[in-house]
Amino acid sequence: MKIKDIKVFVCCPGRNFVTVKIITEDGTYGLGDATLNGREMAVVAYLEEHIAPCLIGKDAHQIEDIWQYLYKGAYWQNGAVSTAAIAAIDMALWDIKGKLANMPVYQLLGGKSRKGVTVYGHANGETIEEVLKNLGTMINEGYKAVRLQCALPDTKGTYGTMEGKKNYYELQGNRPLPPEQEWSTTKYMNFIPELFKQAREKFGYAIALCHDVHSRLTPIEASRLCKLLEPYKLLFIEDAVTTENAEGYKVIREHTDTPLATGEKFNTLWDAKEMIQNQWIDYVRTAVTHGGGLTPLKKLADFASLYHVRMAPHGAPDLSPVCLMAHMHFNLWAPNFGVQEFVGFGTPELNEVFQYKVELKDGLLYMDDKPGWGIDFDEEAAKKYPYKRSYLPVNRLEDGTLWNW
Ligand code: CS2
Ligand code: MG
């Protein structure tokens, strides 16, 4: 089944998404997500200039070989831009294979390992009271796991909170330049344990709770935080330190039994290998989009399973619904699936462009059985929402030093 055309769409129904559509000679098409937040157009160029011309006429069924061809064949392996581009091609090819087989993709992986996908939602807020109010609402909605993020008092902007704004563009003041936020490790360390103490006092221990440090601590600071949080029995602490130096996780591991999650920025299995085989982490957060596609992610899952490490794919708002649907299939299959990050059912604009259906019942996400990923993309609707240049915020310490955001 020959590949006839590859189209790349960039649209902004609330935020930017890069979507790939591969069309075969018989008119079957498949979709993939190539969104790399803040660097979208670099991926578009990679796809249009460097990938698409090599694939026209190739057999769409040869998913593994095409993946190897794009990864090894480029000589310049890995990197966020190239793996997002390769991932989108890989996803689109799995979608096509599912459609041609008339089966949902999870069937091609070996079938379902569970009835639904456990998700964790986000309870955010400007104050502890607000976070706890949102947590209460989510517990009533049936969530079994929730991530808590709260604005730090007397701080200009905190990751995971909106400063009372409605959306990312409003947060940026509609300037297409990186907004700047502020960070104080001391204020953070003094504040976060109180958030979890109050959450446990109010809601008990049945609800699984997690938290994203977003790589702002050093290994010894992270160790101290994880120890302070031990009484509150978190599901995991995410990105306690940056991942470039894998041994940072060894330091934390030696000090605490708070479970650790990381990997949303991993691009390959090799990024994760040392942490997994040393059992320094408990959950791998790699998304199909940023990890190079379903083809490498299933290898990552199998490798992680040898070491009791579970999959907890990244599901922030900048991963498109195509990625969410790919995760549904992956998570239904992966024997060592843990939990999926889930940020809700999208806005009217988003759902006008992407047609898909997921349903939350008792904390589990379900979808209908459809061939392929079970998602469609409306090209005409997408034209109504043109690309807007935008960036993630940058972070500075109170003395002005640039810090990890
Ligand atoms: C994150 C994201 O959801 C998460 O865990 O760390 O919010 C991350 O900051 C964005 O996806 C970056 O684009
Ligand atoms: Mg994260």
Side-chain angles (χ1 to χ4, degrees):
M1 182 61 68
K2 284 199 174 124
I3 295 175
K4 195 170 143 215
D5 198 7
I6 299 179
K7 293 183 181 172
V8 184
F9 303 92
V10 195
C11 62
C12 186
R15 68 180 317 128
N16 291 318
F17 292 112
V18 181
T19 307
V20 168
K21 184 172 189 173
I22 299 184
I23 303 143
T24 60
E25 57 189 342
D26 74 341
T28 307
Y29 62 87
L31 297 173
D33 175 32
T35 309
L36 187 62
N37 201 4
R39 293 294 184 270
E40 296 86 357
M41 300 312 277
V43 187
V44 172
Y46 198 97
L47 281 159
E48 289 183 342
E49 270 305 302
H50 306 295
I51 288 187
C54 304
L55 296 185
I56 307 299
K58 282 218 165 13
D59 182 358
H61 276 305
Q62 296 292 96
I63 300 180
E64 183 70 46
D65 185 65
I66 289 177
W67 192 88
Q68 302 289 343
Y69 177 78
L70 295 176
Y71 182 80
K72 290 189 179 140
Y75 181 66
W76 309 109
Q77 282 109 321
N78 73 41
V81 172
S82 55
T83 40
I86 297 171
I89 298 291
D90 185 77
M91 275 188 244
L93 294 176
W94 278 102
D95 195 17
I96 289 172
K97 199 182 269 300
K99 287 177 177 174
L100 292 176
N102 199 26
M103 280 184 190
V105 174
Y106 72 79
Q107 293 290 15
L108 307 178
L109 293 173
K112 281 189 194 183
S113 299
R114 57 192 55 79
K115 59 182 180 180
V117 171
T118 304
V119 294
Y120 72 87
H122 290 188
N124 310 322
E126 297 308 300
T127 59
I128 294 185
E129 293 68 44
E130 196 187 339
V131 176
L132 297 190
K133 185 170 158 274
N134 293 335
L135 172 59
T137 307
M138 298 183 76
I139 292 173
N140 289 337
E141 286 166 1
Y143 281 90
K144 297 284 182 267
V146 180
R147 179 184 102 159
L148 306 186
Q149 305 290 141
C150 186
L152 294 184
D154 310 317
T155 303
K156 196 181 133 221
T158 304
Y159 164 77
T161 66
M162 294 298 289
E163 296 174 37
K165 309 280 184 345
K166 284 197 298 295
N167 61 47
Y168 179 49
Y169 289 100
E170 207 192 322
L171 185 68
Q172 279 186 291
N174 286 323
R175 281 175 298 112
L177 289 174
E180 299 221 351
Q181 297 189 338
E182 207 175 68
W183 177 253
S184 156
T185 298
T186 309
K187 285 182 186 167
Y188 175 73
M189 299 282 274
N190 289 337
F191 181 73
I192 291 300
E194 186 61 23
L195 170 66
F196 284 89
K197 180 168 176 275
Q198 291 193 27
R200 286 307 185 201
E201 279 167 2
K202 191 155 184 194
F203 296 103
Y205 284 77
I207 181 81
L209 297 177
C210 55
H211 175 71
D212 193 344
V213 178
H214 227 245
S215 309
R216 281 133 192 245
L217 299 178
T218 64
I220 201 67
E221 290 163 352
S223 307
R224 180 181 291 165
L225 180 72
C226 289
K227 276 191 82 65
L228 289 170
L229 292 175
E230 275 171 11
Y232 315 118
K233 302 205 181 333
L234 269 61
L235 175 67
F236 58 70
I237 276 283
E238 179 189 345
D239 283 341
V241 294
T242 56
T243 53
E244 290 101 324
N245 178 20
E247 284 186 338
Y249 282 82
K250 176 174 189 275
V251 174
I252 306 170
R253 198 54 143 189
E254 284 166 354
H255 286 90
T256 181
D257 65 9
T258 294
L260 303 173
T262 193
E264 69 183 32
K265 291 198 274 180
F266 289 165
N267 304 134
T268 73
L269 178 56
W270 292 276
D271 293 335
K273 182 173 163 278
E274 191 182 355
M275 287 186 207
I276 292 173
Q277 70 191 6
N278 287 304
Q279 301 184 76
W280 292 334
I281 57 171
D282 302 278
Y283 293 90
V284 185
R285 303 260 305 123
T286 311
V288 169
T289 300
H290 302 134
L294 180 67
T295 299
L297 218 68
K298 61 186 171 65
K299 296 175 190 174
L300 178 58
D302 281 337
F303 177 68
S305 76
L306 302 182
Y307 300 93
H308 308 280
V309 175
R310 286 185 273 182
M311 307 306 291
H314 186 201
D318 49 289
L319 290 146
S320 96
V322 178
C323 180
L324 171 67
M325 291 309 286
H327 284 163
M328 287 300 289
H329 293 259
F330 172 75
N331 295 331
L332 281 173
W333 159 73
N336 54 331
F337 166 68
V339 68
Q340 169 68 52
E341 181 179 20
F342 177 60
V343 289
F345 298 93
T347 58
E349 295 80 20
L350 184 77
N351 296 331
E352 190 188 347
V353 175
F354 296 94
Q355 286 95 42
Y356 64 107
K357 201 171 145 244
V358 285
E359 214 184 335
L360 188 71
K361 270 188 259 159
D362 288 331
L364 303 192
L365 207 58
Y366 294 88
M367 63 178 184
D368 293 337
D369 263 6
K370 287 197 177 143
W373 297 134
I375 183 163
D376 219 335
F377 177 76
D378 187 329
E379 294 180 33
E380 287 310 307
K383 285 186 193 149
K384 286 168 47 187
Y385 306 104
Y387 166 72
K388 285 193 205 169
R389 178 153 51 89
S390 87
Y391 296 95
L392 284 159
V394 296
N395 212 15
R396 290 185 188 276
L397 301 183
E398 288 171 309
D399 71 356
T401 308
L402 198 94
W403 201 242
N404 299 313
W405 182 77

